[in-house]
Amino acid sequence: MRADVLVIGGGSAGLAAAVSAARQGARTVLVERHGMLGGMGTASLVHTFCGLYLIDGDSPEFANDGLPREIAGRMEAATGRGPVKMGRVWVLPQHPVDFATIADELIREAGVERLFHSELISLEPGWRARVVCRGESFEIESASVIDASGDAVAAALLDVPDERTPSERLQRPAYVCGVQGVSGEVSGLELAGRIVEGIRAGFLPKSAMGMHFRASGRPGEIFGTLDLTGEETGSYDPTDPACLSALESTGREHARQVVSYFKDHQPGWENAYVAHWPARAGVRESRRWVGEACLTGDEILSGARHDDDVALASWPLELRETNRGPKLRYPDGGEAAGIPAGALRARGFERLFVAGRCLSCDHDAQASIRVMGTCFATGEAAGRMATT
Amino acid sequence: MVDCAVDDVLRMLGEEQLIELPSDAGAETDLFAAGLDSMAVMQLIVVLEERWGVVLGAADVGRDTLGTPGRMAATINARR
């Protein structure tokens, strides 16, 4: 199989990268391990697009035109819900089911050749990639490669050094599930109090503290989100299958316990049930690429701009180094910083680009650029860079 | 028992780092606007119990009881 552009990973960045490259006329192949695109926004049920809009706006103003605006427009049309202001930032509530079908439409219209249920297993400069689907492997030759895997999978397979935050400071993972059968309004504060009551009474584990709920916008449907420490089996390592496995089973166990406690103790929840589990827990940070440039948290906080900027980072540093809620750090003056092209170019290789949460940046900057709205923008930029 | 003052609440909020308090925070500061969400509220309930022995449950959590340092101090004093 031959391609002009091979995109590894079909999350928000890979989706945008593939659509953007294909729209430039490139023969584009997209390799995705799940049966749908959207990554964290579909497989992990993360139901909010952050980073689409400028900080502090009186009205929602897009930080990046192009695919971020286009995808947001399609999502608003699908859900009938517009942007919401939360503190100093605007976010767009999104539904994972709609996101998966919007992604299907986008790649069909753009003519992207997608390979679902497939994983990259080797990569050689040139570029020759080997991809496996259910035990059968095959080769893809491509002029350019975009690593939008989220975990810098291409760096690991090329055996080059990557950047990695020490385990204890890694952003913590989140577990999101869908709940049905709840009647009446959802009061997040009341539910928060109820969870504490459940912990006090010995019905719920202490780690259930922090589980919070938000209406999905569909009748009777609620998303429950639980931030985990990731330390269920020792130190947190989002590339270790034992650690990832514990995340999944712990997430399910705690979420089931909370919903079960609410059935007996929370008015309106008598008929509640967990309607769906995510395909995987949501990972916020793992490996990052070493690029020609490295975007820093200080640059985000000072609203720095560069000559070769390809996108704007308009989300604050959202630090989640513990599972006890986010710490937000806003840029002085609220100005969005530029993400330079060099942060999307892998150092030491020709025609190898990076997009999404594993692009070249430090731990603090990653706490801003990892969000889906920004991933659309860096993906789109990488798709353009790979075709010029 | 000495009453819990607004300053005690402000000191607690600073020490526990549940939210980013504005530098000019006072009795009327809107804590929910400052980032007090359902997640932070759970920890706050535990902290109030540890520090002041006040046991709050689902029925006691809201803007009228915890929405500002002033109201939080009043809630603590009323419930001790």
Side-chain angles (χ1 to χ4, degrees), chain A residues 87 188-197 200 208-213 227 266 320 323-329, chain B residues 16-20 32-33 36-43 45-46 49 54-63:
Chain A
L189 293 179
E190 185 181 346
L191 297 180
R194 196 72 69 202
I195 286 180
V196 179
E197 289 177 6
R200 244 185 226 135
M209 188 139 96
M211 186 158 189
H212 49 286
F213 296 87
D227 281 291
Q266 175 63 29
R320 290 179 175 270
N323 68 333
R324 297 188 298 278
K327 297 278 174 281
L328 297 174
R329 292 179 66 200
Chain B
E16 299 289 344
Q17 296 194 334
L18 300 177
I19 53 173
E20 301 266 336
F32 288 94
L36 186 65
D37 57 11
S38 57
M39 245 170 120
V41 157
M42 290 183 222
Q43 298 160 56
I45 295 172
V46 172
E49 187 172 349
V54 174
V55 179
L56 299 182
D60 312 309
V61 191
R63 286 176 181 275

Side-chain angles (χ1 to χ4, degrees), chain A residues 170-222:
Chain A
L170 273 173
Q171 309 295 346
R172 299 296 114 176
Y175 192 85
V176 188
C177 64
V179 176
Q180 295 267 7
V182 177
S183 61
E185 291 288 301
V186 177
S187 162
L189 293 179
E190 185 181 346
L191 297 180
R194 196 72 69 202
I195 286 180
V196 179
E197 289 177 6
I199 294 170
R200 244 185 226 135
F203 286 109
L204 295 177
K206 269 203 174 131
S207 42
M209 188 139 96
M211 186 158 189
H212 49 286
F213 296 87
R214 193 180 294 159
S216 81
R218 296 181 173 196
E221 186 184 60
I222 290 172

Side-chain angles (χ1 to χ4, degrees), chain A residues 77-379:
Chain A
T79 62
R81 302 170 87 196
V84 179
K85 196 161 193 192
M86 294 171 70
R88 293 176 61 181
V89 286
W90 291 90
V91 299
L92 184 67
Q94 73 100 7
H95 201 290
V97 169
D98 292 317
F99 190 15
T101 51
I102 289 168
D104 280 340
E105 286 164 17
L106 280 166
I107 57 162
R108 189 179 59 238
E109 292 161 11
V112 174
E113 188 167 345
R114 78 266 187 273
L115 299 174
F116 290 166
H117 302 295
S118 298
E119 287 233 36
L120 184 71
I121 50 170
S122 78
L123 188 62
E124 287 171 37
W127 290 94
R128 293 159 90 85
R130 189 153 276 280
V131 167
V132 68
C133 174
R134 306 296 298 150
E136 293 270 354
S137 79
F138 52 96
E139 195 168 87
I140 304 172
E141 285 182 31
S142 185
S144 299
V145 171
I146 300 173
D147 185 349
S149 64
D151 298 315
V153 164
L157 292 173
L158 286 163
D159 203 19
V160 293
D162 53 57
E163 283 294 326
R164 214 153 159 178
T165 302
S167 174
E168 62 276 12
R169 285 194 67 213
L170 273 173
Q171 309 295 346
R172 299 296 114 176
Y175 192 85
V176 188
C177 64
V179 176
Q180 295 267 7
V182 177
S183 61
E185 291 288 301
V186 177
S187 162
L189 293 179
E190 185 181 346
L191 297 180
R194 196 72 69 202
I195 286 180
V196 179
E197 289 177 6
I199 294 170
R200 244 185 226 135
F203 286 109
L204 295 177
K206 269 203 174 131
S207 42
M209 188 139 96
M211 186 158 189
H212 49 286
F213 296 87
R214 193 180 294 159
S216 81
R218 296 181 173 196
E221 186 184 60
I222 290 172
F223 289 119
T225 303
L226 178 63
D227 281 291
L228 298 169
T229 63
E231 292 168 348
E232 291 76 16
T233 55
S235 58
Y236 177 43
D237 178 357
T239 58
D240 170 23
C243 175
L244 290 172
S245 303
L247 280 186
E248 307 290 354
S249 45
T250 305
R252 282 192 284 273
E253 184 188 353
H254 289 359
R256 186 190 55 76
Q257 286 172 316
V258 170
V259 172
S260 168
Y261 181 75
F262 281 3
K263 266 175 81 78
D264 294 337
H265 296 88
Q266 175 63 29
W269 283 64
E270 297 81 1
N271 299 309
Y273 57 96
V274 176
H276 46 274
W277 299 121
R280 62 191 321 116
V283 166
R284 292 189 167 98
E285 180 186 14
S286 68
R287 298 185 200 99
R288 299 185 302 277
W289 263 96
V290 178
E292 289 177 6
C294 176
L295 182 68
T296 66
D298 287 342
E299 286 177 291
I300 303 247
L301 291 175
S302 63
R305 297 292 171 98
H306 318 82
D307 291 339
D308 61 341
D309 285 338
V310 289
L312 291 181
S314 63
W315 193 250
L317 308 191
E318 184 191 319
L319 299 164
R320 290 179 175 270
E321 294 165 2
T322 72
N323 68 333
R324 297 188 298 278
K327 297 278 174 281
L328 297 174
R329 292 179 66 200
Y330 284 90
D332 310 329
E335 284 297 310
I339 303 172
L344 276 61
R345 263 193 219 104
R347 192 202 287 171
F349 294 99
E350 294 293 322
R351 309 213 61 77
L352 175 54
F353 305 91
V354 196
R357 73 167 192 234
C358 62
L359 62 74
S360 176
C361 61
D362 68 10
H363 166 74
D364 282 352
Q366 201 270 354
S368 161
I369 61 91
R370 70 157 186 268
V371 296
M372 289 188 276
T374 310
C375 286
F376 294 142
T378 59

